[in-house]
Amino acid sequence: ALESLAKSQNEDGSWKDGYDKNVGVNSLILLAYMSMGNFPGEGKYGEVVAKGVDWVISQSKRSGLIQNLEDGGGNAMYGHGLSSLMLSEIWGHTNDEIVEEKLNKAIELIIKVQGPKGSWGYYSVAQDGDTSVSAMQMMALKSAQIAGIIIPEETILKNLAIFKKRFDTKNGMFGYGGPYNNIDSENVGTHAAATCVMQIYGEKDPVYTMQAMKKSFEAFEKHKKFDAYFLYYGSISAY
């Protein structure tokens, strides 16, 4: 898979797919390389990663938002969250000063545009949104926190609180925009995402962690289909 991706990398360091040159997709590709020990100048694909990271960094705006406007500009915060996560992992390994600068501004933006109720929307303005895009911001914040960036406790607690309000007590699942979800819903992946967030931030109530994770397994056993979004969060939860 990594060899195939290396062959399809553009000269400018980016990758192009159905989302055009989307910073989120490009960051996921780089995370895949990094998971196998490839970093700028390190590993078999060190050069591939270096070019890819440089391209993502080049999409950083003065506001801190990381977005390639050529891809249409929609759903900015999803790509931004993934890019922030990727840069955090890079910085934690390399301590590169340019990465540090862009990462700090990116994390500051995430904190700044959190909605009043504690979630995030799809655009870089302070508004609430669904569980899916919010989970991505929380993943980025946790990675940055581990790397050494101070994250306000209020930011974390507000999001965990709204996720709990979106928990469907009847079906034992987190909802997409409210407390409504079930095992046959297309939003099973969203449930796995919220479960993952609860786990990585040390939630103590097993209802929101172990029991919720078992619900994810139940959904997978029932449907047995390949759902990349669900498997992304479900596998992290299982780990």
Side-chain angles (χ1 to χ4, degrees):
L2 297 184
E3 181 63 27
S4 175
L5 287 167
K7 291 177 180 178
S8 63
Q9 187 179 32
N10 298 315
E11 276 297 314
D12 63 3
S14 68
W15 284 268
K16 184 176 181 179
D17 69 352
Y19 293 95
D20 207 357
K21 294 181 181 180
N22 182 278
V23 294
V25 174
N26 277 255
S27 294
L28 277 171
I29 291 171
L30 291 167
L31 285 166
Y33 279 107
M34 292 156 57
S35 73
M36 298 297 290
N38 298 282
F39 290 88
E42 296 182 38
K44 179 180 179 180
Y45 299 102
E47 185 177 348
V48 171
V49 175
K51 288 174 62 178
V53 172
D54 285 346
W55 181 82
V56 172
I57 286 176
S58 73
Q59 307 309 308
S60 176
K61 309 296 185 284
R62 183 176 297 180
S63 66
L65 178 66
I66 303 173
Q67 181 187 28
N68 176 24
L69 296 176
E70 294 177 17
D71 71 3
N75 299 344
M77 289 306 293
Y78 222 116
H80 178 82
L82 282 163
S83 297
S84 301
L85 172 62
M86 182 276 293
L87 290 180
S88 178
E89 297 294 323
I90 284 285
W91 182 56
H93 187 84
T94 65
N95 290 318
D96 183 275
E97 292 182 0
I98 296 177
V99 172
E100 179 182 12
E101 176 193 348
K102 302 301 183 182
L103 172 62
N104 272 295
K105 291 183 68 176
I107 295 299
E108 287 172 7
L109 179 70
I110 293 176
I111 295 169
K112 180 181 178 181
V113 301
Q114 184 180 31
K117 294 181 180 179
S119 59
W120 282 268
Y122 279 89
Y123 300 93
S124 55
V125 293
Q127 63 182 26
D128 283 286
D130 60 61
T131 302
S132 176
V133 67
S134 298
M136 195 68 259
Q137 311 314 308
M138 291 288 277
M139 295 286 285
L141 292 177
K142 171 52 72 172
S143 180
Q145 190 178 56
I146 293 172
I149 295 176
I150 297 175
I151 308 299
E153 185 177 18
E154 179 185 9
T155 300
I156 304 304
L157 294 178
K158 282 178 66 178
N159 183 255
L160 295 179
I162 196 171
F163 274 15
K164 289 179 180 180
K165 288 181 180 179
R166 294 177 179 175
F167 188 76
D168 186 338
T169 54
K170 178 182 177 181
N171 294 310
M173 298 180 69
F174 293 98
Y176 180 77
Y180 315 104
N181 208 350
N182 62 72
I183 206 165
D184 295 312
S185 168
E186 63 181 12
N187 290 319
V188 171
T190 298
H191 164 72
T195 303
C196 182
V197 168
M198 287 291 167
Q199 291 176 330
I200 66 175
Y201 280 98
E203 171 60 39
K204 302 300 182 184
D205 190 335
V207 170
Y208 301 120
T209 54
M210 291 299 293
Q211 291 181 34
M213 184 181 67
K214 289 176 181 178
K215 203 71 177 182
S216 294
F217 292 162
E218 185 181 331
F220 180 71
E221 286 298 318
K222 181 174 182 179
H223 298 293
K224 293 282 188 179
K225 64 179 181 179
F226 184 83
D227 181 340
Y229 182 86
F230 169 74
L231 292 173
Y232 177 81
Y233 285 109
S235 61
I236 299 174
S237 296
Y239 176 76

